[in-house]
Amino acid sequence: MQIGDKVSMDRDVRIRSVGPKDKIKIGDSVSFDRGVDIKAHGNQNGIEIGDRTYIGPYTCLSGAKLKIGKDCLIASHSSIYSNNHIFSNVGQNINQQGNSYEGITIEDNCWLGTGVKVMDGVTIGEGSIIGAGAIVTKNIPPYSIAVGVPAKVISSRREPAEV
């Protein structure tokens, strides 16, 4: 585990790495609010959180190949899971079939509202905003505003001349 300078953690923050390749890298001036739960597993690239990112209360980050960029705001009760259960064999219990790991990337300067869920295999582009309660199941282009279940892009933050 690598923790940068000036990292702040409120009480009840839990950070765990399960396997030997499950690295956790936390940048400088990252802030974890109360009850954040981070678990790296899957023996892959681990979890990386960029400089000056804020993770809100009771947010869960779990899986492998999970990267959150610099200067992000992730509000309370959000869930970011870079893994999924394998369930293709109906003759075997789901909890015995293992997991798949595609990975999640949240690029720099993004804001995820309260209760956002980000599913495995998704990239949220730089400067994007995800509205409260949204479930992100597909990639979001840079500088987008996305809302809903499933999340859909409703506008761009770019000036009309830039689009």
Side-chain angles (χ1 to χ4, degrees), residues 129-131 140-141 143-148 150-157:
I129 298 170
I130 310 298
I140 303 296
Y143 300 99
S144 294
I145 299 173
V147 298
K152 292 183 181 174
V153 174
I154 59 166
S155 64
S156 174
R157 296 183 59 219

Side-chain angles (χ1 to χ4, degrees), residues 12-151:
D12 301 324
V13 171
R14 183 166 63 166
I15 301 173
R16 302 171 283 160
S17 178
V18 176
K21 295 182 184 176
D22 297 322
K23 310 243 184 297
I24 297 175
K25 181 179 179 186
I26 299 168
D28 295 337
S29 301
V30 170
S31 179
F32 298 104
D33 214 314
R34 182 178 185 171
V36 170
D37 191 353
I38 299 172
K39 179 181 177 184
H41 59 92
N43 282 321
Q44 298 195 26
N45 297 337
I47 296 174
E48 182 177 340
I49 301 171
D51 298 342
R52 299 172 303 281
T53 286
Y54 167 79
I55 309 291
Y58 305 104
T59 291
C60 294
L61 310 174
S62 180
K65 297 193 283 186
L66 170 56
K67 183 175 181 183
I68 299 173
K70 297 177 182 178
D71 302 302
C72 291
L73 299 172
I74 299 177
S76 64
H77 299 279
S78 293
S79 302
I80 303 170
Y81 295 109
S82 65
N83 64 286
N84 203 349
H85 294 283
I86 298 169
F87 53 88
S88 56
N89 183 350
V90 295
Q92 183 179 25
N93 292 338
I94 293 171
N95 65 356
Q96 297 172 348
Q97 293 186 50
N99 295 310
S100 63
Y101 299 92
E102 293 181 43
I104 292 174
T105 300
I106 299 171
E107 295 181 347
D108 296 344
N109 190 31
C110 289
W111 173 25
L112 280 61
T114 298
V116 167
K117 314 294 186 226
V118 181
M119 307 310 286
D120 196 21
V122 167
T123 295
I124 298 175
E126 179 179 2
S128 290
I129 298 170
I130 310 298
I135 299 178
V136 184
T137 60
K138 296 185 181 190
N139 293 344
I140 303 296
Y143 300 99
S144 294
I145 299 173
V147 298
V149 178

